[in-house]
Amino acid sequence: MKNMKNSLRIAALVLLGWAFFAVANADQNTVRQAMAKSMPSVKIDSIKPSVINGLYEVTVGTNIIYVSDNGKYILQGHLIDVEARRDLTEEMLGAARIQAIEKIGQDNMIVFKPKTSKYKVFVFTDIDCGYCQKLHSEIDRYLAEGITIQYLFFPRAGKGSDSYNKAVSVWCSKDRNAALTSAKKGNVPPPKTCDNPVDEHMQLGAEFDVKGTPMIVTEKGNIYPGYLPAQQLSEALASEKAQK
Protein backbone atom coordinates (compact mmCIF):
# COMPACT_ATOMS: atom_id res chain seq x y z
CA MET A 1 0.00 0.00 0.00
CA LYS A 2 2.84 2.33 0.95
CA ASN A 3 4.64 1.59 -2.32
CA MET A 4 1.45 2.33 -4.26
CA LYS A 5 1.10 5.74 -2.53
CA ASN A 6 4.72 6.58 -3.32
CA SER A 7 4.18 5.59 -6.94
CA LEU A 8 1.10 7.79 -7.14
CA ARG A 9 3.04 10.74 -5.68
CA ILE A 10 5.86 10.27 -8.19
CA ALA A 11 3.36 10.01 -11.05
CA ALA A 12 1.65 13.21 -9.88
CA LEU A 13 4.98 15.06 -9.70
CA VAL A 14 5.89 13.87 -13.18
CA LEU A 15 2.55 15.02 -14.56
CA LEU A 16 2.92 18.37 -12.78
CA GLY A 17 6.40 18.76 -14.26
CA TRP A 18 5.15 18.02 -17.78
CA ALA A 19 2.26 20.45 -17.30
CA PHE A 20 4.65 23.21 -16.22
CA PHE A 21 6.96 22.44 -19.15
CA ALA A 22 4.03 22.58 -21.58
CA VAL A 23 2.82 25.93 -20.19
CA ALA A 24 6.33 27.40 -20.26
CA ASN A 25 6.80 26.29 -23.86
CA ALA A 26 3.41 27.72 -24.79
CA ASP A 27 4.35 31.07 -23.26
CA GLN A 28 7.70 31.07 -25.02
CA ASN A 29 6.00 30.36 -28.33
CA THR A 30 3.54 33.19 -27.67
CA VAL A 31 6.42 35.59 -27.00
CA ARG A 32 8.31 34.44 -30.10
CA GLN A 33 5.24 34.74 -32.35
CA ALA A 34 4.35 38.18 -30.98
CA MET A 35 7.88 39.47 -31.56
CA ALA A 36 8.02 37.96 -35.03
CA LYS A 37 4.83 39.85 -35.87
CA SER A 38 5.78 43.21 -34.33
CA MET A 39 9.54 43.11 -35.04
CA PRO A 40 10.08 40.71 -37.95
CA SER A 41 13.66 41.87 -38.60
CA VAL A 42 14.82 41.03 -35.05
CA LYS A 43 16.72 37.75 -34.73
CA ILE A 44 15.99 36.13 -31.38
CA ASP A 45 18.83 34.08 -29.94
CA SER A 46 17.07 32.77 -26.86
CA ILE A 47 13.90 33.09 -24.78
CA LYS A 48 13.68 31.93 -21.19
CA PRO A 49 11.68 32.76 -18.07
CA SER A 50 13.10 35.57 -15.95
CA VAL A 51 13.09 35.54 -12.16
CA ILE A 52 9.80 37.49 -12.29
CA ASN A 53 6.71 35.40 -12.97
CA GLY A 54 5.08 36.23 -16.27
CA LEU A 55 8.15 37.99 -17.65
CA TYR A 56 10.49 36.43 -20.21
CA GLU A 57 14.12 37.27 -20.84
CA VAL A 58 14.80 37.60 -24.57
CA THR A 59 18.38 37.71 -25.88
CA VAL A 60 18.93 39.49 -29.19
CA GLY A 61 22.61 39.43 -30.08
CA THR A 62 24.34 41.17 -27.18
CA ASN A 63 21.15 42.86 -25.97
CA ILE A 64 18.53 41.69 -23.50
CA ILE A 65 14.90 42.78 -23.32
CA TYR A 66 12.01 41.59 -21.16
CA VAL A 67 8.67 40.55 -22.67
CA SER A 68 5.39 39.69 -20.94
CA ASP A 69 4.18 36.11 -21.33
CA ASN A 70 1.35 37.24 -23.64
CA GLY A 71 3.79 39.11 -25.87
CA LYS A 72 1.96 42.43 -25.43
CA TYR A 73 4.51 44.34 -23.37
CA ILE A 74 8.25 44.93 -23.66
CA LEU A 75 10.56 46.31 -20.99
CA GLN A 76 14.05 47.62 -21.55
CA GLY A 77 16.35 48.17 -18.62
CA HIS A 78 18.26 46.37 -15.91
CA LEU A 79 16.74 43.86 -13.51
CA ILE A 80 18.26 44.25 -10.04
CA ASP A 81 18.18 41.72 -7.21
CA VAL A 82 17.98 44.25 -4.37
CA GLU A 83 18.58 41.79 -1.55
CA ALA A 84 21.62 40.20 -3.20
CA ARG A 85 22.74 43.55 -4.68
CA ARG A 86 23.21 41.96 -8.09
CA ASP A 87 22.53 43.40 -11.51
CA LEU A 88 21.03 40.27 -13.10
CA THR A 89 20.74 41.86 -16.53
CA GLU A 90 24.38 42.96 -16.58
CA GLU A 91 25.46 39.44 -15.67
CA MET A 92 23.53 38.06 -18.63
CA LEU A 93 24.87 40.81 -20.89
CA GLY A 94 28.41 39.96 -19.84
CA ALA A 95 27.91 36.32 -20.83
CA ALA A 96 26.42 37.39 -24.19
CA ARG A 97 29.37 39.71 -24.86
CA ILE A 98 31.91 36.98 -24.23
CA GLN A 99 30.01 34.56 -26.43
CA ALA A 100 30.06 37.14 -29.25
CA ILE A 101 33.78 37.82 -28.80
CA GLU A 102 34.58 34.11 -28.81
CA LYS A 103 32.93 33.82 -32.23
CA ILE A 104 35.58 36.18 -33.60
CA GLY A 105 38.38 34.13 -32.05
CA GLN A 106 41.79 35.10 -30.74
CA ASP A 107 43.37 34.40 -34.15
CA ASN A 108 41.46 37.44 -35.43
CA MET A 109 42.88 39.77 -32.78
CA ILE A 110 46.29 41.33 -32.17
CA VAL A 111 47.49 39.85 -28.90
CA PHE A 112 50.20 40.97 -26.49
CA LYS A 113 50.98 38.21 -23.99
CA PRO A 114 53.03 38.29 -20.80
CA LYS A 115 55.30 35.39 -19.85
CA THR A 116 52.75 34.36 -17.24
CA SER A 117 49.15 35.36 -17.91
CA LYS A 118 46.92 35.94 -14.87
CA TYR A 119 44.15 37.85 -16.65
CA LYS A 120 42.91 38.48 -20.17
CA VAL A 121 41.09 41.52 -21.49
CA PHE A 122 39.75 42.57 -24.88
CA VAL A 123 40.42 46.17 -25.88
CA PHE A 124 38.56 48.02 -28.63
CA THR A 125 41.13 50.45 -29.97
CA ASP A 126 41.52 53.28 -32.47
CA ILE A 127 45.06 53.83 -33.74
CA ASP A 128 44.59 57.62 -33.74
CA CYS A 129 42.91 57.85 -30.32
CA GLY A 130 45.07 59.67 -27.76
CA TYR A 131 44.15 57.52 -24.78
CA CYS A 132 44.52 54.36 -26.90
CA GLN A 133 48.06 55.49 -27.67
CA LYS A 134 48.67 56.17 -23.98
CA LEU A 135 47.43 52.71 -23.01
CA HIS A 136 49.66 51.06 -25.59
CA SER A 137 52.69 53.14 -24.63
CA GLU A 138 52.37 51.43 -21.23
CA ILE A 139 51.91 47.92 -22.64
CA ASP A 140 54.93 46.62 -20.71
CA ARG A 141 53.25 47.66 -17.45
CA TYR A 142 50.12 45.67 -18.32
CA LEU A 143 52.23 42.66 -19.23
CA ALA A 144 54.16 43.00 -15.95
CA GLU A 145 50.81 42.75 -14.14
CA GLY A 146 50.16 39.47 -15.98
CA ILE A 147 47.45 40.97 -18.19
CA THR A 148 47.07 39.65 -21.74
CA ILE A 149 45.87 42.45 -24.04
CA GLN A 150 43.76 41.31 -27.00
CA TYR A 151 43.10 44.15 -29.42
CA LEU A 152 40.06 44.63 -31.64
CA PHE A 153 39.91 47.60 -34.00
CA PHE A 154 37.27 50.26 -33.66
CA PRO A 155 38.23 53.25 -35.86
CA ARG A 156 35.74 55.85 -34.66
CA ALA A 157 35.86 57.84 -37.91
CA GLY A 158 34.30 54.87 -39.68
CA LYS A 159 35.01 52.68 -42.65
CA GLY A 160 37.25 54.24 -45.29
CA SER A 161 38.75 56.78 -42.86
CA ASP A 162 42.49 57.20 -42.32
CA SER A 163 42.18 55.36 -39.01
CA TYR A 164 40.35 52.50 -40.73
CA ASN A 165 42.97 52.24 -43.47
CA LYS A 166 45.75 52.24 -40.89
CA ALA A 167 44.02 49.39 -39.05
CA VAL A 168 43.81 47.34 -42.23
CA SER A 169 47.46 48.08 -43.07
CA VAL A 170 48.57 47.06 -39.59
CA TRP A 171 46.61 43.81 -39.80
CA CYS A 172 48.11 43.03 -43.20
CA SER A 173 51.67 43.66 -42.01
CA LYS A 174 54.12 40.80 -41.62
CA ASP A 175 54.59 41.58 -37.91
CA ARG A 176 51.22 42.89 -36.67
CA ASN A 177 52.36 43.56 -33.12
CA ALA A 178 55.34 45.62 -34.24
CA ALA A 179 53.25 47.43 -36.86
CA LEU A 180 50.60 48.32 -34.27
CA THR A 181 53.20 49.60 -31.83
CA SER A 182 54.76 51.76 -34.56
CA ALA A 183 51.38 53.11 -35.66
CA LYS A 184 50.45 53.94 -32.06
CA LYS A 185 53.59 56.10 -31.93
CA GLY A 186 52.23 58.17 -34.80
CA ASN A 187 54.00 56.45 -37.68
CA VAL A 188 51.84 55.86 -40.75
CA PRO A 189 52.02 52.17 -41.72
CA PRO A 190 52.82 51.33 -45.37
CA PRO A 191 49.46 50.90 -47.16
CA LYS A 192 48.51 47.24 -47.41
CA THR A 193 45.32 45.28 -48.07
CA CYS A 194 44.36 41.70 -47.41
CA ASP A 195 41.54 39.68 -45.90
CA ASN A 196 41.05 41.22 -42.47
CA PRO A 197 38.62 41.24 -39.51
CA VAL A 198 38.39 45.04 -39.10
CA ASP A 199 34.77 45.25 -40.30
CA GLU A 200 33.84 42.38 -38.00
CA HIS A 201 35.52 44.16 -35.08
CA MET A 202 33.60 47.35 -35.87
CA GLN A 203 30.29 45.50 -36.10
CA LEU A 204 30.90 43.89 -32.74
CA GLY A 205 31.84 47.27 -31.25
CA ALA A 206 28.58 48.71 -32.55
CA GLU A 207 26.66 45.84 -30.92
CA PHE A 208 28.49 46.59 -27.66
CA ASP A 209 27.52 50.24 -28.05
CA VAL A 210 31.11 51.48 -27.96
CA LYS A 211 30.97 55.23 -27.34
CA GLY A 212 34.69 55.86 -27.20
CA THR A 213 38.05 54.15 -27.18
CA PRO A 214 39.77 52.44 -25.58
CA MET A 215 37.00 50.23 -24.26
CA ILE A 216 38.10 47.31 -22.12
CA VAL A 217 36.06 44.10 -21.84
CA THR A 218 36.98 41.58 -19.16
CA GLU A 219 36.80 37.79 -19.27
CA LYS A 220 33.39 37.97 -17.59
CA GLY A 221 32.13 40.47 -20.15
CA ASN A 222 32.25 43.47 -17.83
CA ILE A 223 33.06 46.79 -19.48
CA TYR A 224 35.48 49.52 -18.46
CA PRO A 225 35.08 52.48 -20.80
CA GLY A 226 38.23 54.51 -21.28
CA TYR A 227 41.85 54.24 -20.19
CA LEU A 228 42.75 52.44 -16.96
CA PRO A 229 46.35 52.36 -15.62
CA ALA A 230 47.84 48.88 -15.42
CA GLN A 231 47.78 48.58 -11.62
CA GLN A 232 44.21 49.85 -11.38
CA LEU A 233 43.08 47.42 -14.07
CA SER A 234 44.91 44.56 -12.35
CA GLU A 235 43.13 45.34 -9.07
CA ALA A 236 39.77 45.43 -10.82
CA LEU A 237 40.44 42.09 -12.52
CA ALA A 238 41.58 40.50 -9.26
CA SER A 239 38.36 41.67 -7.60
CA GLU A 240 36.29 40.30 -10.48
CA LYS A 241 38.10 36.96 -10.32
CA ALA A 242 37.45 36.71 -6.58
CA GLN A 243 33.71 37.12 -7.08
CA LYS A 244 31.58 33.99 -7.36
Side-chain angles (χ1 to χ4, degrees):
M1 190 70 173
K2 186 176 180 180
N3 288 337
M4 182 178 292
K5 287 182 179 179
N6 286 337
S7 297
L8 288 172
R9 287 195 191 101
I10 293 171
L13 288 172
V14 170
L15 288 172
L16 184 61
W18 275 109
F20 177 81
F21 178 78
V23 170
N25 273 356
D27 290 341
Q28 288 184 33
N29 289 334
T30 299
V31 170
R32 189 178 295 277
Q33 289 168 10
M35 290 193 67
K37 184 177 180 180
S38 61
M39 294 180 282
S41 62
V42 171
K43 182 182 178 297
I44 297 172
D45 293 305
S46 69
I47 300 176
K48 62 182 182 180
S50 76
V51 294
I52 299 176
N53 289 336
L55 200 63
Y56 279 78
E57 179 183 280
V58 180
T59 303
V60 179
T62 56
N63 296 294
I64 290 174
I65 58 176
Y66 297 96
V67 183
S68 61
D69 54 10
N70 59 9
K72 290 179 64 176
Y73 303 102
I74 290 177
L75 293 174
Q76 287 185 294
H78 283 234
L79 195 59
I80 310 295
D81 184 330
V82 178
E83 185 177 349
R85 297 186 179 182
R86 289 171 55 199
D87 186 333
L88 303 179
T89 304
E90 185 58 35
E91 290 176 9
M92 294 303 302
L93 286 171
R97 291 182 193 119
I98 292 304
Q99 188 175 26
I101 287 175
E102 287 176 347
K103 287 180 181 177
I104 288 181
Q106 194 181 68
D107 290 344
N108 286 315
M109 304 174 197
I110 297 181
V111 182
F112 288 79
K113 292 181 179 179
K115 289 182 179 179
T116 302
S117 181
K118 294 166 60 180
Y119 315 108
K120 296 177 183 178
V121 296
F122 308 91
V123 181
F124 285 91
T125 191
D126 180 335
I127 287 173
D128 294 323
C129 150
Y131 276 104
C132 296
Q133 293 171 352
K134 179 174 175 60
L135 186 154
H136 193 73
S137 71
E138 299 169 2
I139 192 70
D140 289 341
R141 298 182 189 178
Y142 293 93
L143 299 181
E145 293 286 345
I147 303 172
T148 295
I149 302 290
Q150 303 166 105
Y151 279 119
L152 300 102
F153 287 112
F154 193 80
R156 294 173 300 172
K159 186 168 182 174
S161 65
D162 286 343
S163 298
Y164 176 90
N165 293 333
K166 288 176 186 177
V168 172
S169 296
V170 164
W171 182 265
C172 297
S173 298
K174 186 175 181 179
D175 187 335
R176 293 168 184 159
N177 291 54
L180 182 60
T181 297
S182 177
K184 293 277 191 179
K185 292 178 179 178
N187 301 314
V188 179
K192 294 179 184 292
T193 58
C194 65
D195 289 337
N196 64 83
V198 177
D199 287 353
E200 192 176 1
H201 291 178
M202 293 175 68
Q203 176 61 38
L204 185 63
E207 290 179 15
F208 285 12
D209 197 26
V210 175
K211 299 295 186 185
T213 51
M215 190 181 88
I216 301 168
V217 184
T218 72
E219 288 183 274
K220 288 189 177 180
N222 295 324
I223 286 177
Y224 292 95
Y227 161 80
L228 274 182
Q231 186 175 352
Q232 189 176 342
L233 178 59
S234 179
E235 290 170 357
L237 294 172
S239 177
E240 178 184 273
K241 196 170 187 177
Q243 294 173 1
K244 293 182 179 179

